[in-house]
Each structure stands twice: as structure tokens, then as C-alpha cells.
């Protein structure tokens, strides 16, 4: 039986998981010194989200980065 994974998406240490529209999300792994790619839509109803170029993005699935 399939089970839900524990997913955490953070930008510079701020958890934005509940603001990400998962159907829009796409991630590619980092390889060596080349950063990975990520693309997703953020739904920010309270207008508190702000990201800038160069911010660190992390994706953890079931505790694995």
C-alpha cells in the first residue's frame, strides 16, 4: 500500500512547503559542482514570501536531502 512521504522545501532556512503548488513542481539533482534545477509555483496569499537569486533551496524527502 502506498504511503505519503514527508516533504520539506526550504529557502534560506525558511520552510515554504505549505506554499508550494506540488502539481507545478519539478526538481533535478545536484551533480558535482553543478547546482541542480528546480521549478515550482508559490501560492503566497498573505504576501510574506520573498526570494532572491542566490538563495539556497533545499528539498528533503523522508529526511533525505
Amino acid at each position: 500500500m502506498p504511503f505519503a512521504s514527508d516533504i520539506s522545501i526550504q529557502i534560506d532556512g525558511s520552510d515554504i512547503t505549505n506554499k508550494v503548488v506540488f502539481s507545478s513542481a519539478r526538481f533535478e539533482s545536484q551533480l558535482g559542482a553543478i547546482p541542480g534545477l528546480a521549478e515550482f509555483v508559490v501560492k503566497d496569499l498573505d504576501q510574506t514570501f520573498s526570494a532572491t537569486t542566490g538563495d539556497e533551496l533545499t528539498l528533503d524527502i523522508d529526511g533525505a536531502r
Side-chain angles (χ1 to χ4, degrees), residues 1-28:
M1 170 182 258
F3 61 94
S5 294
D6 181 29
I7 298 172
S8 173
I9 302 171
Q10 296 188 11
I11 294 185
D12 273 356
S14 296
D15 190 346
I16 63 163
T17 307
N18 63 343
K19 296 181 182 200
V20 173
V21 179
F22 283 96
S23 62
S24 72
R26 182 177 71 93
F27 298 90
E28 293 181 13

Side-chain angles (χ1 to χ4, degrees), residues 44-58:
D44 187 23
L45 297 176
D46 54 0
Q47 298 181 355
T48 59
F49 176 74
S50 178
T52 56
T53 301
D55 285 351
E56 181 182 65
L57 170 70
T58 59

